[in-house]
């Protein structure tokens, strides 16, 4: 039987993972495919130490900031199946990097419907709402 905390399934096998609004977690992006499992969802997984749980609409400013800190999200890496990101792409960001970017004043907008509820352990819903975007 799959373990949802390690395999990305529903938390109790019946209920889908929840977003920060306590609703079923929506897909962040299928093009490019994102998430630790590359299934389009920002899941909370024990085996994901980076916590790819924040669905963000990346900005050029954030992408440059991330690259300057050693995480180049711009350059395609075909060997890893990574297409490279551009301004406006949706991507499951690591929670610590989003928090760091926020403190630096360059945090990208957040898609609340696709951001995992586990993010609320570190960032308040009020703060997330300040960065919320509805880009669909």
């Amino acid at each position: 039987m799959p373990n949802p905390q390690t395999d990305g399934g529903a938390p109790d096998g019946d209920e889908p993972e929840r977003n920060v609004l306590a609703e079923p977690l929506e897909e962040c992006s299928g093009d490019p495919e994102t998430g630790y499992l590359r299934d389009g969802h920002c899941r909370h997984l024990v085996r994901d130490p980076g916590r790819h749980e924040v669905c963000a609409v990346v900005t050029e400013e954030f992408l440059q900031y991330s690259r300057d800190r050693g995480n180049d999200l711009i350059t395609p890496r075909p060997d890893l199946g990574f297409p490279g990101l551009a301004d406006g792409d949706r991507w499951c960001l690591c929670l610590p990097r989003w928090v760091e970017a926020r403190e630096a004043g360059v945090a990208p907008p957040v898609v609340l419907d696709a951001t995992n509820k586990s993010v609320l352990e570190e960032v308040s819903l009020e703060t997330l709402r300040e960065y919320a975007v509805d880009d669909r």
Side-chain angles (χ1 to χ4, degrees):
M1 170 181 273
N3 180 337
Q5 292 305 310
T6 59
D7 298 331
D12 66 8
D14 295 325
E15 289 288 318
E17 282 195 70
R18 298 285 173 174
N19 63 31
V20 295
L21 303 173
E23 298 168 348
L25 184 66
E26 292 188 10
E27 181 180 79
C28 180
S29 176
D31 185 20
E33 279 190 330
T34 190
Y36 184 79
L37 299 175
R38 292 297 191 262
D39 68 352
H41 292 83
C42 303
R43 299 189 185 281
H44 175 69
L45 303 167
V46 172
R47 65 180 171 171
D48 176 13
R51 298 194 62 185
H52 294 81
E53 301 165 5
V54 178
C55 180
V57 180
V58 297
T59 62
E60 185 63 34
E61 183 179 37
F62 171 78
L63 291 170
Q64 292 297 331
Y65 174 83
S66 186
R67 183 162 61 180
D68 290 347
R69 271 138 198 84
N71 187 18
D72 182 358
L73 297 173
I74 300 168
T75 304
R77 296 284 310 269
D79 56 317
L80 299 176
F82 179 68
L85 301 179
D87 186 70
D89 284 341
R90 285 174 157 219
W91 194 250
C92 292
L93 296 181
C94 293
L95 175 58
R97 177 52 47 94
W98 188 88
V99 169
E100 177 186 303
R102 179 178 172 264
E103 291 169 357
V106 295
V110 174
V111 181
L112 299 179
D113 292 335
T115 294
N116 199 290
K117 74 174 182 177
S118 62
V119 168
L120 297 175
E121 296 168 6
E122 304 286 330
V123 181
S124 72
L125 182 56
E126 179 181 342
T127 297
L128 292 170
R129 285 186 191 278
E130 291 173 22
Y131 291 86
V133 62
D134 180 10
D135 66 336
R136 290 196 189 227

